Amino acid sequence: MGDKERKHQFISDALNERVSKHQLRSLHNIKPAQNRTSIIVEGKRYINFSSNDYLGLSTHPALIERSNEFAQKYGTGSGASRLVTGTLHIHSGLEQKLAEVFGSETALLFNSGFQANTSILPAVANRHSLILADKKIHNSLIQGALLSRAVFQRYEHNDYEHLESLLKEAAGRYNRIWIVSETIFSMDGDRSDLDKLIFLSKKYDALLYSDDAHALGVLGDKGLGLNYGRQGIDISLGTFGKAFGAFGAFVCCSSKMREYLINFSGGFIYSTALPPAVIGSVDAALDLILVMNTEREELLLNCNYLKKELKLIGFGTLNSESQIIPVMIGNEEEALRLSDKLKQHGFWVTAIRPPTVQSNASRLRITLSVHHERNQIDNLLGVLSEWKRM
Ligand SMILES: *Cc1c(COP(=O)(O)O)cnc(C)c1O
């Protein structure tokens, strides 16, 4: 074996292990068609039940138009990081608009949800802090917690008695305590109890970080998410890559917190500001989200219908209370087989397997968008029910 081969041996070892566990991941080239409910993969058309573009905004003419307009006026790049010369008036303008719409003292843009989570937590917690996080939080929050070097403990999913017992134990031992949760959990589609989280954070003098990535645009008053309208959340995180149909992220917070993040969050400080085209599309999305109540109602009706029918067929859907609907399978090879069968019938539904979820919790993860039609859902249900009867 040559030097290079020896040095790279760990790569083959790790990949081979993934292969033997049927856990190797790979990329597919996707060609979007028809407001993203259809995709074309290797020449074949599928109905896409695995997109986070919940409102179909990523192909909406208004977003494309404002995105073009901003690119024409301000160029394709913002030229620098925010603190250098990258804060164009469109960045501050969008932040002001977000703060107004969300009724927050201030808002601050980040380049992605992943970047926000991995660079805010290390800014707001340190070796003397404690982070108490739900077992099912998104990988970006886990990475952020680890980077912060705070003591990091997980409470059982949505188990607030467990959380409270950890809070009690922690009393007086840390410089500060952060509670970290999502509003809609990205793999299970269920919700945290925000009132309870706010209550506990007050009672134990902890700070609250609530990631609203999947609820934004879809749930809450005017589609403004589940954090919206609640006092007592110290960092409210939203992303633009999902229902906003664009890219990027933001936090709603106090102006002091904003000033602090501008000074201490590495991901904010050391990264080029979002490009004008992205700011344009987000700006247009924000206008549209506010007036899409009818679409949202229809989407939620479809979600309830799908969940009800899945249960009748005999599939568990955990406690999904959103447009993210897990179809529980258990065994990962079986989940893959079902996903393949659905592909044969023209449905793209991604199988979610370990290490993303626990072993024996493999599932298909269906996400619905406002553009899915009832007959597409019925056809999907038809294949699922056939599989269940086999
Ligand atoms: C998608 C997601 C993120 C990451 O956001 P990006 O903008 O896609 O990087 C963060 N948190 C949660 C809960 C998510 O679902």
Side-chain angles (χ1 to χ4, degrees):
M1 218 193 296
D3 274 355
K4 177 159 179 199
E5 271 168 76
R6 201 163 44 243
K7 279 194 285 187
H8 285 191
Q9 188 60 37
F10 76 98
I11 299 174
S12 322
D13 291 349
L15 290 175
N16 288 338
E17 193 188 331
R18 281 276 166 100
V19 170
S20 70
K21 289 179 169 168
H22 305 280
Q23 288 179 356
L24 190 73
R25 299 165 185 223
S26 60
L27 300 170
H28 310 274
N29 282 330
I30 304 285
K31 199 169 139 205
Q34 270 181 17
N35 54 47
R36 289 264 144 94
T37 47
S38 282
I39 49 173
I40 296 161
V41 187
E42 283 161 17
K44 185 172 170 182
R45 179 183 285 265
Y46 301 87
I47 307 294
N48 184 6
F49 283 104
S50 291
S51 162
N52 301 326
D53 187 11
Y54 303 124
L55 301 176
L57 292 184
S58 74
T59 50
H60 195 287
L63 273 75
I64 295 169
E65 194 187 315
R66 204 163 305 168
S67 177
N68 281 337
E69 181 197 325
F70 279 28
Q72 291 283 348
K73 280 191 186 153
Y74 309 107
T76 50
S78 49
S81 61
R82 290 287 303 275
L83 282 163
V84 181
T85 53
T87 299
L88 312 181
H89 78 90
I90 50 175
H91 294 90
S92 344
L94 179 58
E95 286 173 337
Q96 258 160 35
K97 183 164 164 176
L98 286 163
E100 269 162 40
V101 168
F102 285 87
S104 163
E105 219 177 295
T106 56
L108 184 65
L109 297 173
F110 278 82
N111 286 359
S112 76
F114 198 95
Q115 196 178 56
N117 286 337
T118 50
S119 70
I120 294 173
L121 282 169
V124 298
N126 60 28
R127 280 179 298 133
H128 308 293
S129 316
L130 172 65
I131 294 177
L132 295 175
D134 191 286
K135 260 242 168 90
K136 294 205 172 168
I137 50 166
H138 192 263
N139 181 273
S140 55
L141 291 163
I142 297 174
Q143 301 293 333
L146 293 174
L147 281 170
S148 77
R149 297 196 271 170
V151 175
F152 182 32
Q153 294 176 341
R154 318 280 292 273
Y155 58 91
E156 292 301 322
H157 180 51
N158 278 344
D159 182 343
Y160 302 116
E161 277 176 32
H162 188 205
L163 170 59
E164 183 157 18
S165 73
L166 295 173
L167 284 162
K168 274 188 186 139
E169 265 172 44
R173 297 174 51 197
Y174 299 94
N175 65 357
R176 76 196 75 109
I177 300 171
W178 279 92
I179 298 172
V180 178
S181 179
E182 285 166 33
T183 56
I184 297 293
F185 288 89
S186 54
M187 291 302 132
D188 292 11
D190 57 348
R191 303 184 185 196
S192 62
D193 182 343
L194 263 174
D195 293 329
K196 189 86 196 181
L197 287 170
I198 291 167
F199 169 80
L200 287 175
S201 64
K202 289 215 173 100
K203 183 168 171 190
Y204 291 92
D205 209 20
L207 294 119
L208 181 57
Y209 192 122
S210 182
D211 180 336
D212 217 5
H214 287 283
L216 257 194
V218 179
L219 299 166
D221 189 23
K222 290 175 280 185
L224 292 177
L226 297 173
N227 287 339
Y228 175 61
R230 282 193 165 81
Q231 302 295 319
I233 300 171
D234 299 282
I235 301 252
S236 167
L237 182 104
T239 64
F240 301 133
K242 288 165 181 145
F244 270 76
F247 186 73
F250 71 107
V251 294
C252 284
C253 59
S254 70
S255 58
K256 267 272 173 291
M257 180 71 83
R258 180 174 185 272
E259 192 182 356
Y260 180 83
L261 293 175
I262 291 172
N263 281 277
F264 293 99
S265 171
F268 178 85
I269 301 167
Y270 299 106
S271 190
T272 303
L274 284 171
V278 167
I279 301 295
S281 53
V282 171
D283 189 60
L286 190 51
D287 296 340
L288 283 170
I289 282 172
L290 294 170
V291 297
M292 291 185 76
N293 272 343
T294 316
E295 288 88 343
R296 272 189 287 274
E297 275 163 28
E298 213 169 292
L299 169 61
L300 294 181
L301 284 177
N302 275 342
C303 292
N304 289 337
Y305 172 75
L306 175 57
K307 271 180 278 186
K308 189 189 74 186
E309 295 295 317
L310 283 169
K311 274 176 202 152
L312 286 177
I313 299 172
F315 284 108
T317 56
L318 298 177
N319 295 314
S320 163
E321 279 189 83
S322 67
Q323 72 286 5
I324 299 169
I325 302 170
V327 181
M328 298 309 288
I329 307 297
N331 178 287
E332 60 183 281
E333 282 169 66
E334 228 171 302
L336 278 179
R337 267 201 299 276
L338 179 52
S339 173
D340 282 342
K341 183 184 167 77
L342 287 167
K343 276 181 194 146
Q344 284 160 22
H345 285 83
F347 300 106
W348 196 276
V349 188
T350 305
I352 308 281
R353 307 168 283 140
T356 303
V357 292
Q358 283 169 320
S359 57
N360 263 313
S362 291
R363 68 199 61 182
L364 301 187
R365 177 175 175 273
I366 298 179
T367 50
L368 289 187
S369 95
V370 297
H371 289 303
H372 284 117
E373 284 160 20
R374 193 55 79 87
N375 73 312
Q376 296 172 325
I377 296 173
D378 281 330
N379 293 341
L380 174 75
L381 282 163
V383 184
L384 288 171
S385 118
E386 189 187 301
W387 189 81
K388 200 73 177 173
R389 279 186 268 114
M390 275 187 335

